[in-house]
Amino acid sequence: DLIAMYEAQKAFRNRIDYKGDDRYGELTLALQVELGECANELPKVFKFWAHKENNLQDALIEYADGLHFILDIGHEIFFEDFDMIYLLSGADKGRPIATQFRYIFALVSKLDKTKSSITFIELLSEYIGLGEMIGFSFEQVEEAFYVKDVINHERQSECY
């Protein structure tokens, strides 16, 4: 349930007291880092020179981290129209996964410049599609999201 995850992210934002400087640029950079970390756990997707296996468990963790940042960015632009997300089908399943990663990077850059709800909808939809392309079920993503949410709250308790 994206709305419940969105609300969980809002609760975390409230806990760490998002006031003061605009953190939008930092959030988009953090998303790009997590997206790169996710790709790095999937060497068979783009590292044609390497003979390493994909690490789907670690990729799922990084993917869930990225979802936290996407939802955080949604709060930054005051996004509320989740009905539009559910109407979109996600990624082009015929697109190679490496191309999907690059497409999402481009959408993050576009969103960084425009702060557009339409671009946010496209980004979230394509990100969900990426998870499906990798082979993650929405249930796996949701579970990983909430596991990381607990970790994030614990880190705040420990002055991370």
Side-chain angles (χ1 to χ4, degrees), residues 33-44:
V33 169
E34 294 302 336
L35 190 58
E37 289 177 353
C38 181
N40 201 46
E41 296 299 336
L42 303 168
K44 288 194 173 285

Side-chain angles (χ1 to χ4, degrees), residues 132-148:
E132 293 169 354
M133 291 168 78
I134 294 169
F136 302 145
S137 70
F138 196 77
E139 291 76 22
Q140 287 175 300
V141 170
E142 198 170 24
E143 181 180 342
F145 177 90
Y146 285 114
V147 165
K148 185 59 186 250

Side-chain angles (χ1 to χ4, degrees), residues 5-153:
M5 288 188 282
Y6 193 65
E7 291 304 314
Q9 189 62 32
K10 183 177 184 179
F12 182 70
R13 283 173 61 90
N14 290 340
R15 175 160 186 200
I16 60 176
D17 196 20
Y18 262 45
K19 292 181 184 165
D21 294 339
D22 176 21
R23 302 207 176 138
Y24 190 79
E26 288 83 358
L27 288 170
T28 57
L29 176 58
L31 173 55
Q32 289 171 325
V33 169
E34 294 302 336
L35 190 58
E37 289 177 353
C38 181
N40 201 46
E41 296 299 336
L42 303 168
K44 288 194 173 285
V45 167
F46 73 100
K47 292 184 179 180
F48 56 86
W49 60 90
H51 302 287
K52 295 180 179 181
E53 294 299 315
N54 289 341
N55 184 333
L56 292 176
Q57 186 57 43
D58 286 350
L60 177 59
I61 292 166
E62 302 301 345
Y63 180 87
D65 284 344
L67 184 55
H68 279 273
F69 287 114
I70 289 173
L71 296 177
D72 224 350
I73 290 166
H75 285 290
E76 286 289 311
I77 65 169
F78 305 103
F79 182 79
E80 296 292 334
D81 194 6
F82 278 90
D83 290 338
M84 290 300 297
I85 302 288
Y86 294 120
L87 292 176
L88 295 176
S89 61
D92 175 357
K93 303 301 187 278
R95 186 183 292 157
I97 295 174
T99 302
Q100 184 69 6
F101 271 104
R102 292 193 320 273
Y103 187 62
I104 291 170
F105 269 107
L107 285 172
V108 175
S109 293
K110 182 178 177 182
L111 185 60
D112 186 36
K113 292 176 187 146
T114 66
K115 296 184 182 180
S116 159
S117 290
I118 293 168
T119 304
F120 176 79
I121 290 167
E122 186 178 6
L123 171 63
L124 184 52
S125 179
E126 294 290 340
Y127 196 78
I128 291 167
L130 173 65
E132 293 169 354
M133 291 168 78
I134 294 169
F136 302 145
S137 70
F138 196 77
E139 291 76 22
Q140 287 175 300
V141 170
E142 198 170 24
E143 181 180 342
F145 177 90
Y146 285 114
V147 165
K148 185 59 186 250
D149 189 57
V150 169
I151 292 168
N152 288 342
H153 282 280

